[in-house]
Amino acid sequence: GQQLNQSPQSMFIQEGEDVSMNCTSSSIFNTWLWYKQDPGEGPVLLIALYKAGELTSNGRLTAQFGITRKDSFLNISASIPSDVGIYFCAGRSNTGKLIFGQGTTLQVKP
Amino acid sequence: ETGVTQTPRHLVMGMTNKKSLKCEQHLGHNAMYWYKQSAKKPLELMFVYNFKEQTENNSVPSRFSPECPNSSHLFLHLHTLQPEDSALYLCASSQDRGLGLNEQFFGPGTRLTVL
C-alpha cells in the first residue's frame, strides 16, 4: 500500500534554531497536509497544500508541495519552547484516501 | 478547541469488559472518522462514516464496533479487547468524504489501556 517516509524521526534543538523536516512517497499525492500534535491532544492542522510547487506560510512555519508531487517539507524558523510536539505530514491521493507519516518529535531546549 | 470532543479522555479496562468511546462534533460536518494511534506508528484509519453511513472499514477486528446515530455523534463500542489494543483513539470530522478541500479536524483522543 501507499506509505509516507517522514524524517527525521526526532529532533532536539536549541531555542532560536531553525528546523526542517520532510516527507517523501513513491506515490503521487494531490494534497499535502502538515499537523502538529501536542502531548495529550489530537493533531491540529497547520498548513494545507493543494498545488505542486505551492509554498505556504503560517507565521514562522513554511511548507512546500514538491514539484514531483511525491514530497513535501516543513520549516520552522526561530524555534521557541512551545513548538515542542509531534509533527505529522499527510498526503491525499486521487482516491481521497489520507495517508499519514510516522511523525517527527521535536524537542526545544530553552 | 477544534470543535470535536471525545469522552472519556482516559479509559482503563480489563479484557472481559465492555465500554464505549464517544465523539461529538460541533462543526456541522457530515463525515466522521475513527483512528488508532500507537507509539512510533502512523495514524491508522479504522472506520469512516459519511452522512451516517459507514463507507470504510479497514479490516478492523469485530471486537471494535462503531455506531453513528447522526452526523454529529460517533461511538466506538469495545468488547473483549486485547492488551495490544491499548492506544490513543482519535475521532475526526470533515465536511464530507469528497475529494475537494475537505480537511479533517481531530478531537483530543481517548487514551485506552487494556489490562
Side-chain angles (χ1 to χ4, degrees):
Chain A
Q2 292 174 311
Q3 287 188 337
L4 290 184
N5 185 22
Q6 184 172 352
S7 65
Q9 190 172 7
S10 63
M11 303 179 75
F12 191 89
I13 62 169
Q14 195 77 32
E15 182 178 359
E17 290 183 353
D18 296 344
V19 172
S20 185
M21 59 191 80
N22 68 82
C23 274
T24 59
S25 171
S26 56
S27 304
I28 287 173
F29 290 106
N30 294 328
T31 300
W32 283 97
L33 308 172
W34 286 93
Y35 286 88
K36 183 194 177 193
Q37 186 174 24
D38 290 329
E41 300 295 331
V44 174
L45 183 64
L46 298 173
I47 292 178
L49 303 159
Y50 301 106
K51 286 176 60 177
E54 181 180 355
L55 184 72
T56 296
S57 293
N58 179 3
R60 293 177 295 106
L61 279 61
T62 302
Q64 185 158 31
F65 192 142
I67 288 290
T68 65
R69 296 167 64 192
K70 294 183 178 181
D71 62 340
S72 178
F73 71 75
L74 175 70
N75 286 343
I76 305 173
S77 63
S79 59
I80 59 178
S82 62
D83 290 333
V84 164
I86 305 176
Y87 292 80
F88 291 96
C89 64
R92 180 181 292 122
S93 66
N94 57 6
T95 64
K97 190 168 185 178
L98 196 62
I99 309 295
F100 284 84
Q102 307 98 315
T104 295
T105 300
L106 178 64
Q107 298 181 63
V108 180
K109 184 177 180 182
Chain B
E1 182 65 43
T2 62
V4 182
T5 59
Q6 289 186 245
T7 56
R9 294 294 307 274
H10 300 272
L11 179 62
V12 180
M13 59 187 290
M15 289 189 286
T16 58
N17 292 158
K18 288 185 179 181
K19 297 286 183 183
S20 295
L21 309 185
K22 178 183 176 182
C23 175
E24 183 173 1
Q25 57 95 0
H26 312 274
L27 301 169
H29 289 166
N30 297 304
M32 297 188 77
Y33 310 77
W34 278 117
Y35 286 88
K36 177 183 179 182
Q37 185 177 31
S38 304
K40 309 290 185 186
K41 293 175 68 175
L43 271 70
E44 301 173 51
L45 180 64
M46 301 174 69
F47 300 103
V48 180
Y49 278 81
N50 201 30
F51 293 93
K52 301 190 299 179
E53 298 296 320
Q54 188 180 122
T55 57
E56 280 188 54
N57 175 343
N58 285 311
S59 304
V60 181
S62 60
R63 56 186 185 271
F64 295 91
S65 175
E67 179 190 1
C68 188
N70 55 62
S71 293
S72 299
H73 294 86
L74 185 65
F75 295 89
L76 188 62
H77 304 300
L78 316 172
H79 63 98
T80 60
L81 294 192
Q82 305 297 312
E84 60 264 29
D85 295 324
S86 299
L88 182 69
Y89 288 84
L90 290 163
C91 173
S93 72
S94 66
Q95 185 60 44
D96 61 43
R97 193 68 176 97
L99 302 179
L101 308 182
N102 192 17
E103 306 323 334
Q104 294 178 25
F105 293 81
F106 286 84
T110 295
R111 173 66 63 186
L112 173 67
T113 302
V114 181
L115 302 177

